[in-house]
Amino acid sequence: GHGGGMKASAGNSGPNAAAGGHVRRRTVLVALTAVAVVVVSTLVALLARSGPPPVLSPGAPAGSSTPPTTPPTVTTAPQAMSPFTGLPVSAGPVLVVKIDNVKAARPSLGLTAADLVYVEPVEGGLSRLAAVFSSRLPDVVGPVRSARETDLGLLAQFGRPALAYSGAAPELLPGLAAAPLISVSPAQVPHAYFRDPQRAAPHNAFAVPAELLAGAPGASAATDIGLRFGPVPAGGSPTAHEVAGYAAAKLSFDWSAADGRWLIGADGAPMVAAEGGRLAAATVVLQSVVVRPSAVSDSRGTVSPYAETVGSGNAVVLRDGMRWPARWSRPSTTSGTTFTRPDGQPFPFAPGPLWIVLQP
């Protein structure tokens, strides 16, 4: 009797047990179905509230919910322009080098990299150059010669430039020390200079511009000194040859349409560069200035002329094979020089190297 009872209890066999199993399975299925309905209903409600599923934009990382957008407009910052040439460059510190310009000193080296070249009168009716570098630096420049009183007034418009020169009259040294410039002569940076044994002294002093600027860490960067650049203005007169200069030094400017430049000559011969090619300018300005005796004399006692670059006066502008009358104005030593047309509008120079002749 005990054995049969245990068998029936453990196996739950028989009609009643089978019926109970079917009931339990139906109950589970109903419960699962109810849960599924609740889950689906919940998802539908959530989707209805959140809107359509997000669409990934191309390249978006997995899991991103950023909707597609129009590609952003890329705005390129305008390229900086040199205030000395009107060409796109990065403004660098200003280095001015005094260059010998007598026949025995030619050909010069490094002038093809100059942004701006001033031609100055010196004693004996000769000329000297003040080459302004900022956009580019040549490896070597020269021949380097002495400073003049004209430089003190002329160069103040550049802020605090570095000035390279080889010697100066004793009377001028206090003025150079007080002027807003950084002297980088052999007295300050002797390692930047060397003598070329193939040339005769004193026309054989050369300098390394990178070393000059290393000795002038506070030199001013290139800034606006009043020059403007742009398309050819109306009203010019065609010309292919112009001459300027002083009693014992003549400069010529011949227009080359093929080069788009004024080819420069001196004393009846082409001015060639020791590094190769002709010296040339996109624009030439013949700036009429007052030239008077200075308080400084050279080693032979000859009085040095002083070119006054503060004030106003007439000028002739050469560009694109034409010439224009113009006016110049510079109110003070710290201001730049503006060049205007007869109607008073700023004169637009041709972008590129600029030569300015300070002529009586």
Side-chain angles (χ1 to χ4, degrees), residues 74-97:
V74 178
T75 302
T76 303
Q79 176 71 50
M81 296 293 175
S82 166
F84 305 154
T85 67
L87 296 175
V89 295
S90 296
V94 178
L95 170 66
V96 183
V97 184

Side-chain angles (χ1 to χ4, degrees), residues 136-295:
R136 297 183 296 156
L137 288 180
D139 293 332
V140 177
V141 64
V144 182
R145 286 303 300 273
S146 53
R148 290 292 183 273
E149 188 178 359
T150 296
D151 301 322
L152 302 183
L154 175 65
L155 303 184
Q157 62 187 317
F158 293 97
R160 195 164 181 254
L163 174 62
Y165 58 94
S166 179
E171 305 96 314
L172 188 58
L173 294 179
L176 286 168
L181 54 82
I182 302 174
S183 291
V184 284
S185 73
Q188 288 82 27
V189 284
H191 58 278
Y193 291 83
F194 65 92
R195 294 279 179 181
D196 180 358
Q198 302 301 316
R199 299 197 187 203
H203 315 292
N204 64 346
F206 291 84
V208 180
E211 294 293 331
L212 294 172
L213 284 178
S220 300
T223 56
D224 185 1
I225 60 168
L227 308 177
R228 297 296 178 263
F229 301 87
V232 181
S237 303
T239 183
H241 177 76
E242 294 285 336
V243 177
Y246 315 104
K250 297 298 181 183
L251 293 173
S252 61
F253 304 95
D254 293 282
W255 176 247
S256 170
D259 298 307
R261 292 287 188 269
W262 294 94
L263 304 182
I264 302 170
D267 303 323
M271 288 187 74
V272 298
E275 61 268 31
R278 287 283 302 271
L279 295 182
T283 303
V284 176
V285 177
L286 310 180
Q287 182 179 349
S288 296
V289 298
V290 173
V291 178
R292 57 172 175 78
S294 74

Side-chain angles (χ1 to χ4, degrees), residues 36-142:
V37 169
V38 171
V39 170
V40 171
S41 299
T42 302
L43 288 174
V44 170
L46 288 172
L47 288 173
R49 287 198 299 270
S50 63
V55 178
L56 295 181
S57 58
S64 170
S65 60
T66 303
T69 58
T70 303
T73 301
V74 178
T75 302
T76 303
Q79 176 71 50
M81 296 293 175
S82 166
F84 305 154
T85 67
L87 296 175
V89 295
S90 296
V94 178
L95 170 66
V96 183
V97 184
K98 294 305 300 292
I99 305 292
D100 202 349
N101 196 38
V102 298
K103 185 175 181 180
R106 303 181 195 125
S108 61
L109 183 63
L111 275 181
T112 54
D115 292 337
L116 172 61
V117 176
Y118 289 96
V119 184
E120 303 174 354
V122 292
E123 54 280 349
L126 297 171
S127 67
R128 186 153 297 169
L129 308 179
V132 181
F133 300 89
S134 177
S135 303
R136 297 183 296 156
L137 288 180
D139 293 332
V140 177
V141 64

